[in-house]
Amino acid sequence: MHFICLFRALLIVFFLFFISPTFARQADTSGRPTPFLLVSGAADVYYRYDPARTASNALTSFTRSENLVELNTAQIKLEHRTSLIDMVADLAAGPRQNEYAGTDKGIAKFIRQLYISYSPLAWLKFTGGTWATHLCYESPDASANRNYSMSYLFSNDPFSHMGIKAEVSLGSHGFMVGVANPCNYRAIPDSGRCNKNIIAQYSYTVGDRLKISLNYQGGRDIVDNRSHQYDVVFTAKISSLFSLGWNATVQRSSMAVEKYQISRSWYGSAVYVNYDPKKWLGVTVRTEYFNDKQGVCLPAPASVLETTLSANLKAWNFTVIPEFRIDHADNPIFFHASGSPATTAGSFLLAAVFSF
């Protein structure tokens, strides 16, 4: 036993003093400044009006108010880079962050992302910590989206993962696999089970013209319910004026209390058409179909067709987003101004996003 411990210690010393410097020299060929500190941030505010005058018609994330001006997020992101190690501390506060953080408490409520990456080779990277999910076309950061309101797909996807992952880049091909806590849990409550989920991604990229990502996450949650989610994201730049995005997802789940005898699922697809006639003007139309006929996510079993038209008016680091949105369901999951059930909900939104 002592010999085994000594042998392990010698392996560690050999790696630190002989192998690591070799890896460092290989990683230095990336040409990144060493060390390098990048500071960025953003803030966003919005006003949303629903003719029905009810906030309960907002069934997607981050824009759940009605007839109010809301300061949604203030965010600061610090990235420290060296030839071998990167560190990212992404901190935020506001209603958007409160919803994103979910069950987190105390100072952890302000953490959007916090992770350390180690790159022993130019094509290999290991990451540990918490980061935004790899699923879905949309981002939790308002500054990274052209539509300000969120899709049903994003709102019912995981927001974040906490764990470790390995990423491999081989030319146009990318691979990622990792082990993480149940989705959206950075800390497991005392009453929950600390199960582990598998996350994975394969991506294929052709310059800035085309990217395809095949994504997966699955496992058991803190009460042993099972879920598996398969997701595909496609982006393409057609010309200097037009670009397209497409996202499709299906999730299947079963409950421990039912001894996994019943399987439930939801699925959907969203298409994004982007038009940029001027440097200061962009227009995006999102059309989304979301099917939750088994009542997993929505207030009642239904399928929803959602269409959102957003303009992006840009000046320096400032973007103003006027947005019109209509949601139509085949079951009355919305409400009229009188309080009676409705199958259609509409809204107007005006947002302002500043980023640096």
Side-chain angles (χ1 to χ4, degrees):
M1 181 64 68
H2 294 294
F3 175 80
I4 294 175
C5 293
L6 178 60
F7 181 74
R8 289 176 177 173
L10 289 173
L11 282 179
I12 293 172
V13 172
F14 180 81
F15 178 85
L16 290 176
F17 286 93
F18 295 97
I19 304 300
S20 289
T22 302
F23 285 170
R25 287 192 293 272
Q26 294 178 18
D28 279 339
T29 61
S30 64
R32 293 190 307 182
T34 307
F36 180 73
L37 178 64
L38 176 65
V39 180
S40 59
D44 59 287
V45 60
Y46 78 98
Y47 169 80
R48 178 180 176 274
Y49 175 75
D50 181 347
R53 304 301 298 272
T54 172
S56 59
N57 281 344
L59 299 179
T60 56
S61 303
F62 307 151
T63 53
R64 299 184 186 273
S65 66
E66 197 284 316
N67 198 29
L68 290 172
V69 176
E70 288 266 355
L71 175 61
N72 216 5
T73 319
Q75 181 181 8
I76 186 74
K77 185 176 182 180
L78 306 176
E79 300 175 75
H80 180 70
R81 300 175 179 175
T82 71
S83 60
L84 284 175
I85 296 176
D86 296 349
M87 187 278 289
V88 172
D90 187 1
L91 309 176
R96 177 185 288 262
Q97 175 60 20
N98 290 341
E99 188 172 346
Y100 175 89
T103 59
D104 288 340
K105 297 179 181 179
I107 195 170
K109 199 81 172 175
F110 301 103
I111 297 175
R112 176 69 61 88
Q113 300 182 101
L114 182 60
Y115 58 84
I116 296 175
S117 297
Y118 172 60
S119 303
L121 298 167
W123 50 269
L124 177 63
K125 180 166 70 173
F126 299 99
T127 299
T130 180
W131 57 85
T133 186
H134 56 294
L135 280 73
C136 199
Y137 175 86
E138 298 178 13
S139 167
D141 297 339
S143 57
N145 296 321
R146 293 174 61 113
N147 297 115
Y148 188 81
S149 67
M150 309 304 292
S151 67
Y152 287 89
L153 296 183
F154 174 88
S155 300
N156 293 287
D157 279 344
F159 287 170
S160 66
H161 304 282
M162 174 79 181
I164 56 174
K165 61 180 178 178
E167 298 170 87
V168 174
S169 300
L170 301 175
S172 299
H173 304 274
F175 303 88
M176 182 275 287
V177 63
V179 179
N181 289 348
C183 298
N184 300 327
Y185 281 93
R186 273 88 80 88
I188 306 300
D190 293 338
S191 59
R193 295 180 62 85
C194 190
N195 292 315
K196 293 294 178 282
N197 287 197
I198 298 298
I199 60 173
Q201 180 183 71
Y202 165 74
S203 62
Y204 176 73
T205 305
V206 181
D208 63 346
R209 309 291 297 184
L210 175 70
K211 183 174 182 179
I212 302 172
S213 298
L214 305 178
N215 310 306
Y216 169 80
Q217 70 85 19
R220 300 189 184 193
D221 65 13
I222 64 169
V223 292
D224 282 339
N225 297 328
R226 295 174 180 167
S227 69
H228 300 276
Q229 186 167 348
Y230 307 90
D231 178 87
V232 57
V233 177
F234 170 88
T235 59
K237 185 176 181 180
I238 307 302
S239 69
S240 60
L241 296 179
F242 288 97
S243 61
L244 299 174
W246 175 62
N247 181 207
T249 287
V250 59
Q251 187 195 84
R252 302 184 184 279
S253 61
S254 55
M255 300 177 65
V257 295
E258 298 173 339
K259 299 186 183 301
Y260 312 112
Q261 297 298 310
I262 300 175
S263 178
R264 298 175 176 85
S265 64
W266 61 263
Y267 62 90
S269 177
V271 176
Y272 304 77
V273 180
N274 306 313
Y275 175 55
D276 296 286
K278 303 289 184 181
K279 289 184 177 180
W280 55 269
L281 174 62
V283 179
T284 294
V285 177
R286 177 182 63 207
T287 300
E288 175 188 20
Y289 174 74
F290 184 77
N291 186 301
D292 185 27
K293 288 291 193 176
Q294 296 179 319
V296 179
C297 308
L298 297 175
S303 61
V304 182
L305 182 64
E306 169 261 314
T307 301
T308 302
L309 172 64
S310 306
N312 285 232
L313 308 174
K314 306 171 186 177
W316 300 285
N317 296 339
F318 190 68
T319 304
V320 176
I321 307 174
E323 181 174 288
F324 296 90
R325 175 171 175 154
I326 297 177
D327 297 56
H328 178 75
D330 63 354
N331 198 28
I333 59 175
F334 304 110
F335 295 93
H336 293 292
S338 63
S340 60
T343 57
T344 302
S347 63
F348 167 74
L349 184 148
L350 182 63
V353 181
F354 177 80
S355 60
F356 63 91

